[in-house]
Amino acid sequence: MQTVARVDALRQQIKQWREDKLSIAFVPTMGNLHQGHLSLVNKARQLADKVVVSVFVNPLQFDDKNDLSAYPRTLAADVEKLESVACDLLFTPTADIIYPNGMEGQTIITVPGMDDKLCGQARPGHFDGVATVVAKLFNLVQADIAVFGEKDYQQLLLIKKMVTDLNIPVQILGADTHREQNGLAMSSRNQYLTAPQRQQAALLYQTLLAVKKKIEQGEHDFVTLEQAAFDDLKQSGFSPDYVDIRRADDLDRAKPDDRAFRILVAARLGNARLIDNIACNLA
Ligand code: PAF
């Protein structure tokens, strides 16, 4: 695996692959890789001749300075993991490389309709930071395909919309959420949890499954279902931001005659803000 930090080195390799008519799949990450990330890389591996992974902890998407400085940076371990899944090129830019003129005057991409609901409410500016860095990375890597985890479902839809709205020539694919044995969605933020909290955190997934079951059983008073799930989590020691039943395709509020739903949760437990979601499709 080749590792490059500079834009000219990245562009040179991409140009060579393009001249050789090789297809490229891309997995953007913030590092601290776990099995969930590696499954995205494995998926990318099956879809293209070459796989590029980026590791960049993007300051522009952190609404909280402490969260940014605490974010785990584990590049040496990440390199080893990426070598084990046969990644071809690792791009590890610094903030100076991604934001050469600083972040203050940076052109910002806002994806209307996707940026200000659900996690966008609790984390103002977060999705502008995500959209902006992902657009920049797409322009740098010029991949045919990019793979994102469904654990960040709102992010996945936001990026799909941005790519459509801006005619960025890349196909966006989602990949299933990877879970611990107890059902907890894998996340770099899980390491902020103590061992007992990790067990407790599995309740998020159980809550989503319970809501799904009720919808499948014909309960369509979504506000009541959401409120009951929210209260249960609160009673179990979480500080929930939301438990919401949304339309799967645009994350607008679900109506009883919709058929394809996404049930989403965000809650704090100890030092971690955790998110998760599942699909719910009615026949
Ligand atoms: O999901 C992430 O890790 C980040 O939001 C992403 C897509 C790499 C952008 O920084």
Side-chain angles (χ1 to χ4, degrees):
M1 180 179 73
Q2 192 187 343
T3 301
V4 298
R6 289 172 40 172
V7 167
D8 53 355
L10 173 73
R11 286 203 190 278
Q12 203 181 342
Q13 181 58 83
I14 299 292
K15 185 167 174 269
Q16 183 61 57
W17 286 340
R18 287 282 166 225
E19 281 171 10
D20 295 343
K21 306 258 179 291
L22 298 171
S23 58
I24 301 169
F26 176 42
V27 182
T29 80
M30 297 209 298
N32 193 237
L33 304 180
H34 50 67
Q35 206 47 49
H37 294 110
L38 300 186
S39 72
L40 303 183
V41 180
N42 282 327
K43 181 163 181 153
R45 184 70 288 146
Q46 289 161 15
L47 296 168
D49 300 314
K50 296 289 175 188
V51 174
V52 179
V53 173
S54 61
V55 169
F56 176 59
V57 181
N58 173 32
L60 200 61
Q61 71 187 73
F62 283 79
D63 47 303
D64 172 350
K65 277 202 181 96
N66 295 331
D67 190 20
L68 171 62
S69 55
Y71 200 84
R73 285 141 171 106
T74 54
L75 189 59
D78 293 345
V79 167
E80 262 185 46
K81 288 176 188 162
L82 289 172
E83 271 168 348
S84 77
V85 286
C87 166
D88 297 292
L89 177 65
L90 170 61
F91 181 45
T92 57
T94 56
D96 290 351
I97 288 178
I98 294 293
Y99 302 112
N101 300 320
M103 291 192 300
E104 286 294 298
Q106 169 65 44
T107 302
I108 297 295
I109 297 180
T110 296
V111 184
M114 275 297 159
D115 64 318
D116 55 356
K117 53 193 167 200
L118 299 166
C119 284
Q121 287 202 334
R123 304 185 67 189
H126 166 68
F127 284 118
D128 288 357
V130 171
T132 302
V133 80
V134 171
K136 285 167 83 73
L137 290 168
F138 283 169
N139 284 333
L140 290 167
V141 176
Q142 299 184 16
D144 302 280
I145 299 168
V147 187
F148 291 84
E150 285 194 351
K151 200 206 96 201
D152 296 295
Y153 190 76
Q154 185 174 5
Q155 169 174 283
L156 172 65
L157 291 198
L158 174 111
I159 289 164
K160 280 187 175 171
K161 184 170 190 298
M162 175 183 77
V163 160
T164 305
D165 288 357
L166 298 181
N167 302 96
I168 302 178
V170 60
Q171 186 190 353
I172 306 300
L173 292 181
D176 289 346
T177 301
H178 238 70
R179 297 185 180 281
E180 307 282 355
Q181 272 204 329
N182 67 4
L184 173 63
M186 286 192 186
S187 164
S188 302
R189 292 177 190 276
N190 292 352
Q191 60 191 270
Y192 301 149
L193 300 170
T194 61
Q197 284 170 342
R198 261 184 188 242
Q199 288 313 315
Q200 193 185 349
L203 199 62
L204 287 181
Y205 183 50
Q206 287 159 22
T207 302
L208 293 174
L209 291 175
V211 173
K212 176 175 166 153
K213 196 167 172 193
K214 287 187 180 141
I215 298 173
E216 286 169 347
Q217 285 168 345
E219 283 193 37
H220 282 131
D221 179 351
F222 296 147
V223 175
T224 304
L225 281 178
E226 290 168 353
Q227 191 61 52
F230 187 99
D231 292 344
D232 285 351
L233 285 175
K234 217 167 163 185
Q235 281 207 334
S236 307
F238 291 83
S239 302
D241 279 345
Y242 60 80
V243 183
D244 269 29
I245 302 161
R246 297 277 174 140
R247 287 201 323 215
D249 58 347
D250 58 9
L251 292 181
D252 276 354
R253 293 221 163 266
K255 300 196 185 68
D257 53 352
D258 287 328
R259 286 283 161 271
F261 305 99
R262 206 82 194 181
I263 311 162
L264 307 101
V265 63
R268 286 191 175 277
L269 182 63
N271 291 329
R273 182 177 185 275
L274 304 170
I275 59 171
D276 199 356
N277 69 86
I278 56 171
C280 172
N281 296 309
L282 300 181

